[in-house]
Amino acid sequence: MASRDVAFWKEAINDEMDSILSNQTWELVDLPPGSKPIGCKWVFRRKYHTDGMIQTFKARLVAKGFKQREGIDYFDTYAPVARTTSIRILFALASIHNLFVHQMDVKMAFLNGDLNEKVYMEQPEVSKLSRFISNPSVEHWKVIARVLGCLKNTKELSLQYSNFPAILEGYSDASWISSVRDNLSTIGWVFTLGGGAVSWGSKKQTCISYSTMEAEFIVLAATGKEAEWLRDLMMDILFTANNVSTMSIHCDSQATLARAYSGVYNGKSRHISIRHEYVRQLSRYGIISISFVRLSGNLADPFTKPLTRDLVRITSRGMGLKLLK
């Protein structure tokens, strides 16, 4: 609000809200009688255009006392807009190959995706602080103040790309049982291209892991899934299709690294066994390779746990966050 472009920001915000409201995009209502939000299925819907650019939607769907079933009670829940990761990939490639970037925008593109059925969904919780929004304590207010202070003190930083390195690299990390309330771990990953981050994620695991290695395997599978998507995107871009090689994912757990290349999983957890096999297949087919990185050099570390100021600065620079020139 203090920038010289404040009038343009306000105009864009008002245009966005007017379009959403005038098109009756949503209506806030109570769930139908008998609906039970707990235990509802998370529905992921992902589709690709030929250029690999389209947004994904995620929602818990419930209706009239039973779970809505994909293909029966509802069908497409995606919107025809570009995924931000795709845009960052194109920026990085433009920097690597010294290309000019031309920008265009279609206003309210996501409103062009029609829903033919009535779909009920819960508003998502977005992160860690939001889990306590209904009953915040003094400690939570202190953390909010710290977050706002961090944003204020880093507003001069921007995500910048260069012409090196010209390959995609991934980093994965897990913090075992980061929440004592539910014994769930936090996982995080980040991919870099052209010296800057192009894709990243941080979320709480949905299943309990019994060791650090199991937690690391869960995040390796999630990172591998994103690596596979990024590789497919790069294959769709004509001038990079012939240069797409095996993507290196860096992990700071030697035990996980050894187990990833082992043909046998001796654990009793089926959900870990499935992820183990998925990671092995990605490695076998040359989609990813897994290498060891020291804890201090793992760029995914800040996505899973609090770090010292020096480590935050080091990992931030590694992800391409630099002062505006």
Side-chain angles (χ1 to χ4, degrees):
M1 291 294 102
S3 72
R4 62 183 181 182
D5 297 325
V6 61
F8 298 107
W9 280 111
K10 286 183 177 179
E11 181 184 0
I13 292 169
N14 291 333
D15 283 348
E16 187 95 1
M17 289 304 300
D18 290 342
S19 296
I20 289 173
L21 295 175
S22 63
N23 282 278
Q24 298 180 337
T25 307
W26 73 73
E27 181 183 7
L28 289 177
V29 297
D30 293 330
L31 287 174
S35 296
K36 296 180 180 180
I38 298 175
C40 294
K41 179 182 179 183
W42 281 111
V43 176
F44 294 86
R45 184 68 175 176
R46 173 176 289 176
K47 270 200 171 183
Y48 305 98
H49 282 165
T50 53
D51 60 358
M53 295 170 61
I54 201 157
Q55 181 66 33
T56 61
F57 261 58
K58 172 182 174 182
R60 276 190 289 193
L61 306 178
V62 292
K64 297 182 180 178
F66 59 89
K67 300 176 184 177
Q68 287 180 306
R69 292 162 292 180
E70 184 175 8
I72 299 176
D73 303 298
Y74 68 92
F75 295 90
D76 294 335
T77 58
Y78 65 90
V81 295
R83 188 181 178 194
T84 312
T85 298
S86 303
I87 297 174
R88 286 193 290 262
I89 288 280
L90 294 178
F91 280 142
L93 290 175
S95 180
I96 290 169
H97 297 280
N98 197 27
L99 303 175
F100 288 101
V101 176
H102 297 275
Q103 176 183 322
M104 65 156 293
D105 185 33
V106 179
K107 282 192 174 182
M108 306 300 136
F110 69 93
L111 292 181
N112 291 319
D114 294 326
L115 278 175
N116 298 316
E117 307 84 17
K118 183 177 290 188
V119 176
Y120 293 88
M121 53 177 62
E122 288 186 316
Q123 297 182 79
E125 294 179 355
V126 175
S127 187
K128 199 160 188 176
L129 277 175
S130 65
R131 300 170 195 165
F132 307 96
I133 198 168
S134 61
N135 186 27
S137 67
V138 174
E139 291 302 316
H140 297 132
W141 283 112
K142 289 179 180 179
V143 175
I144 290 173
R146 186 174 179 181
V147 170
L148 293 176
C150 178
L151 292 174
K152 179 181 178 181
N153 294 328
T154 57
K155 64 181 181 180
E156 300 301 324
L157 295 177
S158 66
L159 192 56
Q160 300 179 26
Y161 301 102
S162 61
N163 59 359
F164 181 83
I167 58 172
L168 271 165
E169 290 184 293
Y171 297 82
S172 71
D173 188 44
S175 180
W176 185 44
I177 308 186
S178 55
S179 175
V180 294
R181 295 172 179 268
D182 49 22
N183 294 323
L184 294 177
S185 306
T186 300
I187 63 174
W189 68 88
V190 60
F191 287 87
T192 60
L193 177 66
V198 292
S199 174
W200 58 85
S202 175
K203 62 181 181 180
K204 191 194 292 186
Q205 290 179 349
T206 56
C207 55
I208 293 177
S209 51
Y210 295 97
S211 66
T212 301
M213 188 185 72
E214 287 194 358
E216 293 280 359
F217 252 112
I218 292 174
V219 69
L220 259 184
T223 310
K225 184 177 181 180
E226 183 71 2
E228 190 175 17
W229 187 90
L230 290 171
R231 191 174 186 272
D232 289 343
L233 173 60
M234 297 287 282
M235 294 288 286
D236 282 340
I237 301 173
L238 292 180
F239 65 90
T240 63
N242 295 327
N243 297 321
V244 178
S245 58
T246 300
M247 199 176 302
S248 180
I249 295 179
H250 305 290
C251 169
D252 58 21
S253 170
Q254 291 276 26
T256 306
L257 190 64
R259 183 64 65 183
Y261 286 106
S262 171
V264 180
Y265 174 73
N266 297 321
K268 298 180 180 179
S269 302
R270 184 169 180 269
H271 62 279
I272 303 297
S273 176
I274 293 172
R275 287 169 169 85
H276 174 259
E277 182 59 28
Y278 176 64
V279 171
R280 285 188 64 248
Q281 285 192 10
L282 291 178
S283 176
R284 186 188 309 144
Y285 295 138
I287 297 174
I288 66 170
S289 66
I290 308 168
S291 60
F292 177 75
V293 65
R294 293 186 180 276
L295 188 63
S296 58
N298 192 346
L299 298 185
D301 218 23
F303 293 97
T304 62
K305 62 182 76 70
L307 300 177
T308 63
R309 181 175 299 181
D310 287 341
L311 279 178
V312 169
R313 287 174 176 169
I314 291 171
T315 52
S316 296
R317 283 196 296 268
M319 287 184 278
L321 280 172
K322 301 173 185 176
L323 287 173
L324 287 167
K325 297 179 180 178

